[in-house]
Amino acid sequence: MNVFKYNTQTSCLCGRGCIEAYGDIFLKYGKRAAILTSKFAEGCRNYALEDVRAALDRRGIEYIVINRVIENPPVESVAELSRECVEFGAQFFVAIGGGSSIDSAKAVSLLMKHPGVEPYETFYGLGHPSDSLKTEADLPVFAVPTTAGTGAEVTGFACLTRSDTDTKLSMYPLVFCEAAFLDPEYIRHSPAFLLHSGAMDALAHGVETYLHTGSNIINRSLAEVGFKLFAGYKDALLENTLKDDDFLNMQIAAFIMGMAFMQSSTTIPHGMGYPLSHYKRVNHGLACAVFLGEYLRSFKDRTLVEPIVSACGFSDVDSFAQYIAAIMAQDLRLQVTEAELDKWTEDFMKLDFRLASSPEPLSAADIKGIYLRSLAPYMVK
Ligand SMILES: [Fe+2]
């Protein structure tokens, strides 16, 4: 039997009002907190920030609110946030928002452990990803997700934008959040587009980790729980008729899929989605999930993928693929040419670690075919 590990660190506190209900936990971590978040769109209330402020006020914990988190946070912006947190004397962090806020807080916490060290050295200096089991930052991070998709609240990863290489890359040391507060109120008011893209990202995490050659019984079992939750809300998600329980189940599914994929990582669709995000600015969840249906359809041995589509509540792979296409038809705006697909296929075929992660071998023609069939509605001359 091959060796494998399963590692998790983050407590999960769930339900409407969970921040106040479990707010005394903050008292164990100090009297000064830095809240990291981003500016919400005009007309959108940051309900989570209101609840966190109230919980800290009630307990006499001082805090600063830094609302300058940038999407796909650059190393330089994280370093700037870190200086402000040091000046304030933060003892712990509360990250409110999507993956960018949570990843920024993880990165700031890591920088504060290594004062005087150049940020790129702190994030990437070891030259290889860490295989540590424990969080590698000192100051605790609490996550309050306002999207349900990335799983950043439970994984040890923090994806940053490197200006030196013009790429996005997870920092090598792992930083796990102390706890995540999952309150359905924080996603209930989200536009359908955000709910769809989050759910698609979480689904892709589950599907990909389930199929990954490095997966194990624990990953796959967790992903199966996430698939069953997805089966419960998928129709309401498509029809935009989500109910109270659905919102919490979406948050729990994102958390569970995060637990599932953080060991064996993602595989083909996430790799194929990179150029859509990078060159076409397509939202991450849609950019990856648009390939899910055709990726599963490409399997010669359908017994590998049937447990997934069945657990997700579909009768067969074709129904699963049609559902993905229907979500994309609502949300994905894109134009691509065949020449771009040729280039992206060529680039993808250089990613040996991606190709090795798929249980069936994939040729350049296979990858090009998945690109072509998935993006057929978006092709232009
Ligand atoms: Fe993802």
Side-chain angles (χ1 to χ4, degrees), residues 178-229:
E178 198 76 1
F181 294 90
L182 306 184
D183 186 326
E185 195 66 15
Y186 306 150
I187 65 166
R188 180 198 304 277
H189 309 280
S190 300
F193 167 80
L194 270 186
L195 294 168
H196 290 182
S197 57
M200 289 294 99
D201 192 21
L203 179 64
H205 294 157
V207 169
E208 293 177 46
T209 202
Y210 188 96
L211 292 168
H212 196 293
T213 48
S215 69
N216 59 59
I217 181 67
I218 303 177
N219 293 48
R220 290 192 297 277
S221 301
L222 286 166
E224 282 169 3
V225 175
F227 297 150
K228 283 178 182 149
L229 287 168

Side-chain angles (χ1 to χ4, degrees), residues 3 6 12 69 90 110 117-118 131 135 187 200 229 278 321 337:
V3 297
Y6 183 76
C12 185
V69 167
L110 188 69
V117 180
E118 205 269 327
D131 58 2
T135 194
I187 65 166
M200 289 294 99
L229 287 168
H278 189 71
T337 65

Side-chain angles (χ1 to χ4, degrees), residues 200-280:
M200 289 294 99
D201 192 21
L203 179 64
H205 294 157
V207 169
E208 293 177 46
T209 202
Y210 188 96
L211 292 168
H212 196 293
T213 48
S215 69
N216 59 59
I217 181 67
I218 303 177
N219 293 48
R220 290 192 297 277
S221 301
L222 286 166
E224 282 169 3
V225 175
F227 297 150
K228 283 178 182 149
L229 287 168
F230 175 78
Y233 56 73
K234 69 177 171 50
D235 294 338
L237 183 74
L238 182 63
E239 293 155 11
N240 301 309
T241 55
L242 292 161
K243 300 224 166 31
D244 288 359
D245 288 350
D246 296 327
F247 293 108
L248 183 58
N249 286 341
M250 287 174 66
Q251 291 175 305
I252 294 171
F255 187 92
I256 288 175
M257 296 305 201
M259 291 166 72
F261 94 85
M262 74 180 171
Q263 303 304 326
S264 62
S265 189
T266 53
T267 171
I268 305 300
H270 264 64
M272 293 182 71
Y274 177 77
L276 286 185
S277 299
H278 189 71
Y279 299 118
K280 303 287 183 179

Side-chain angles (χ1 to χ4, degrees), residues 23 26 45 59 93 101 117 174-175 194 218 226-227 240 248 268 288-289 294 299 314 321 343:
F26 292 131
R45 267 173 69 178
R59 290 164 178 86
F93 301 94
S101 289
V117 180
L174 298 176
V175 177
L194 270 186
I218 303 177
F227 297 150
N240 301 309
L248 183 58
I268 305 300
C288 304
E294 293 303 329
F299 274 75
F314 297 99
K343 172 76 171 73

